[in-house]
Amino acid sequence: MGTVGPASNKSGGLLPPLEKLQKLAELAAVVPADSTADQDDTSRSWLIRRRLADKQVAELVELYRSGVGTPALCEQFGISKPSVLELLHERGVQMRRQPLTKAQRVLAVQLYEDGLAIKPIAAKLGSSFGAVHRVLKAEGVRLRPRPGR
């Protein structure tokens, strides 16, 4: 038989020290018994359909149709880009691909050649990594290897 200690499964269910129990009691007194009671179901749900009311989804769709980009919608409604795209797709919205303007293309090439990475360039232009990557390739820019690859 091995030794029986505090981390052993054979410790016989020893009780924790009194100090730990007192600390737990103090913490329990400070934290409400049901700390989520003041939240409604919509704020706790991870399902987008439950977090956004139909009116909000309709507003999101109209904003997208009026030209507002998905990054702005994500920020305004507090949801991720895949969630925005899912909501738009579910409502049959024609997706658009917003190519970079000629000025943005020139700036992207210049920034990349000045040493800036693609992700910060995309953030600066309000675009995606993939869109900037495609532009750089189309413009014939020799891409640097990605770190860690």
Side-chain angles (χ1 to χ4, degrees):
M1 295 244 168
T3 59
V4 176
S8 171
N9 287 338
K10 301 175 184 176
S11 64
L14 295 175
L15 296 175
L18 182 59
E19 298 86 33
K20 286 185 180 179
L21 289 173
Q22 288 173 332
K23 188 170 185 178
L24 284 172
E26 290 171 11
L27 289 173
V30 175
V31 178
D34 186 10
S35 61
T36 59
D38 60 341
Q39 297 178 351
D40 61 1
D41 288 340
T42 58
S43 63
R44 288 187 299 207
S45 178
W46 58 271
L47 293 173
I48 298 304
R49 289 175 210 83
R50 290 188 185 159
R51 277 195 282 160
L52 296 180
D54 290 339
K55 185 177 179 180
Q56 290 174 302
V57 174
E59 180 185 358
L60 182 144
V61 169
E62 287 308 309
L63 287 169
Y64 181 81
R65 285 184 174 148
S66 71
V68 177
T70 52
L73 293 173
C74 294
E75 187 173 325
Q76 181 175 344
F77 290 92
I79 59 176
S80 68
K81 184 171 181 176
S83 295
V84 168
L85 296 176
E86 178 184 338
L87 289 170
L88 294 172
H89 178 72
E90 285 176 353
R91 277 136 187 96
V93 175
Q94 177 69 39
M95 304 307 290
R96 64 176 184 268
R97 200 172 183 182
Q98 296 180 340
L100 296 176
T101 65
K102 184 62 180 168
Q104 287 175 316
R105 293 172 72 95
V106 169
L107 181 59
V109 169
Q110 179 185 358
L111 291 171
Y112 189 79
E113 289 177 345
D114 288 346
L116 201 58
I118 296 174
K119 191 172 181 179
I121 294 171
K124 185 176 185 80
L125 297 176
S127 186
S128 68
F129 178 94
V132 173
H133 186 265
R134 284 189 297 276
V135 163
L136 295 175
K137 288 186 79 162
E139 296 292 330
V141 175
R142 184 165 185 221
L143 298 177
R144 300 182 294 270
R146 291 176 69 181
R149 300 212 179 226

